[in-house]
mmCIF file of all heavy atoms in Angstrom:
data_model
loop_
_atom_site.group_PDB
_atom_site.id
_atom_site.type_symbol
_atom_site.label_atom_id
_atom_site.label_comp_id
_atom_site.label_asym_id
_atom_site.label_seq_id
_atom_site.Cartn_x
_atom_site.Cartn_y
_atom_site.Cartn_z
ATOM 1 N N ALA I 208 -6.153 4.081 6.975
ATOM 2 C CA ALA I 208 -5.155 3.019 6.808
ATOM 3 C C ALA I 208 -3.764 3.615 6.926
ATOM 4 O O ALA I 208 -3.602 4.828 7.000
ATOM 5 C CB ALA I 208 -5.319 2.361 5.441
ATOM 6 N N ASP I 209 -2.771 2.734 6.944
ATOM 7 C CA ASP I 209 -1.384 3.202 6.894
ATOM 8 C C ASP I 209 -0.581 2.309 5.962
ATOM 9 O O ASP I 209 -1.049 1.255 5.531
ATOM 10 C CB ASP I 209 -0.762 3.317 8.289
ATOM 11 C CG ASP I 209 -0.560 1.992 8.978
ATOM 12 O OD1 ASP I 209 0.063 1.085 8.381
ATOM 13 O OD2 ASP I 209 -1.001 1.845 10.132
ATOM 14 N N SER I 210 0.621 2.740 5.662
ATOM 15 C CA SER I 210 1.441 2.067 4.654
ATOM 16 C C SER I 210 1.879 0.663 5.062
ATOM 17 O O SER I 210 2.313 -0.106 4.205
ATOM 18 C CB SER I 210 2.664 2.920 4.304
ATOM 19 O OG SER I 210 3.412 3.211 5.462
ATOM 20 N N ASN I 211 1.737 0.295 6.330
ATOM 21 C CA ASN I 211 2.055 -1.075 6.740
ATOM 22 C C ASN I 211 1.125 -2.086 6.079
ATOM 23 O O ASN I 211 1.471 -3.261 5.957
ATOM 24 C CB ASN I 211 1.974 -1.222 8.255
ATOM 25 C CG ASN I 211 3.081 -0.494 8.955
ATOM 26 O OD1 ASN I 211 4.230 -0.516 8.521
ATOM 27 N ND2 ASN I 211 2.756 0.177 10.040
ATOM 28 N N TYR I 212 -0.073 -1.650 5.693
ATOM 29 C CA TYR I 212 -1.065 -2.531 5.084
ATOM 30 C C TYR I 212 -1.247 -2.269 3.589
ATOM 31 O O TYR I 212 -2.139 -2.828 2.969
ATOM 32 C CB TYR I 212 -2.405 -2.404 5.818
ATOM 33 C CG TYR I 212 -2.271 -2.864 7.249
ATOM 34 C CD1 TYR I 212 -2.082 -1.948 8.273
ATOM 35 C CD2 TYR I 212 -2.287 -4.216 7.561
ATOM 36 C CE1 TYR I 212 -1.928 -2.375 9.584
ATOM 37 C CE2 TYR I 212 -2.137 -4.648 8.856
ATOM 38 C CZ TYR I 212 -1.955 -3.723 9.868
ATOM 39 O OH TYR I 212 -1.795 -4.153 11.157
ATOM 40 N N LEU I 213 -0.404 -1.430 3.020
ATOM 41 C CA LEU I 213 -0.457 -1.155 1.587
ATOM 42 C C LEU I 213 0.139 -2.347 0.845
ATOM 43 O O LEU I 213 1.283 -2.721 1.071
ATOM 44 C CB LEU I 213 0.327 0.115 1.265
ATOM 45 C CG LEU I 213 0.346 0.547 -0.193
ATOM 46 C CD1 LEU I 213 -1.043 0.989 -0.628
ATOM 47 C CD2 LEU I 213 1.340 1.675 -0.387
ATOM 48 N N THR I 214 -0.663 -2.961 -0.032
ATOM 49 C CA THR I 214 -0.181 -4.145 -0.747
ATOM 50 C C THR I 214 0.226 -3.853 -2.177
ATOM 51 O O THR I 214 1.074 -4.551 -2.724
ATOM 52 C CB THR I 214 -1.235 -5.265 -0.746
ATOM 53 O OG1 THR I 214 -2.423 -4.781 -1.391
ATOM 54 C CG2 THR I 214 -1.558 -5.712 0.671
ATOM 55 N N SER I 215 -0.396 -2.854 -2.815
ATOM 56 C CA SER I 215 -0.017 -2.520 -4.185
ATOM 57 C C SER I 215 -0.575 -1.163 -4.587
ATOM 58 O O SER I 215 -1.440 -0.608 -3.913
ATOM 59 C CB SER I 215 -0.520 -3.591 -5.165
ATOM 60 O OG SER I 215 -1.928 -3.601 -5.225
ATOM 61 N N MET I 216 -0.050 -0.677 -5.699
ATOM 62 C CA MET I 216 -0.531 0.557 -6.317
ATOM 63 C C MET I 216 -0.769 0.242 -7.785
ATOM 64 O O MET I 216 -0.018 -0.530 -8.379
ATOM 65 C CB MET I 216 0.519 1.661 -6.214
ATOM 66 C CG MET I 216 0.888 2.012 -4.800
ATOM 67 S SD MET I 216 2.197 3.246 -4.725
ATOM 68 C CE MET I 216 3.524 2.445 -5.605
ATOM 69 N N ASN I 217 -1.807 0.830 -8.370
ATOM 70 C CA ASN I 217 -2.089 0.613 -9.778
ATOM 71 C C ASN I 217 -2.150 1.972 -10.449
ATOM 72 O O ASN I 217 -3.077 2.751 -10.200
ATOM 73 C CB ASN I 217 -3.399 -0.149 -9.958
ATOM 74 C CG ASN I 217 -3.653 -0.533 -11.394
ATOM 75 O OD1 ASN I 217 -3.697 0.313 -12.270
ATOM 76 N ND2 ASN I 217 -3.812 -1.822 -11.627
ATOM 77 N N GLU I 218 -1.145 2.267 -11.265
ATOM 78 C CA GLU I 218 -1.078 3.576 -11.920
ATOM 79 C C GLU I 218 -2.166 3.752 -12.959
ATOM 80 O O GLU I 218 -2.706 4.845 -13.113
ATOM 81 C CB GLU I 218 0.298 3.770 -12.555
ATOM 82 C CG GLU I 218 1.384 3.965 -11.523
ATOM 83 C CD GLU I 218 2.726 4.274 -12.156
ATOM 84 O OE1 GLU I 218 2.778 5.193 -12.982
ATOM 85 O OE2 GLU I 218 3.694 3.593 -11.811
#
Side-chain angles (χ1 to χ4, degrees):
D209 68 53
S210 56
N211 290 319
Y212 296 98
L213 181 68
T214 60
S215 66
M216 300 177 301
N217 187 303
E218 289 185 52

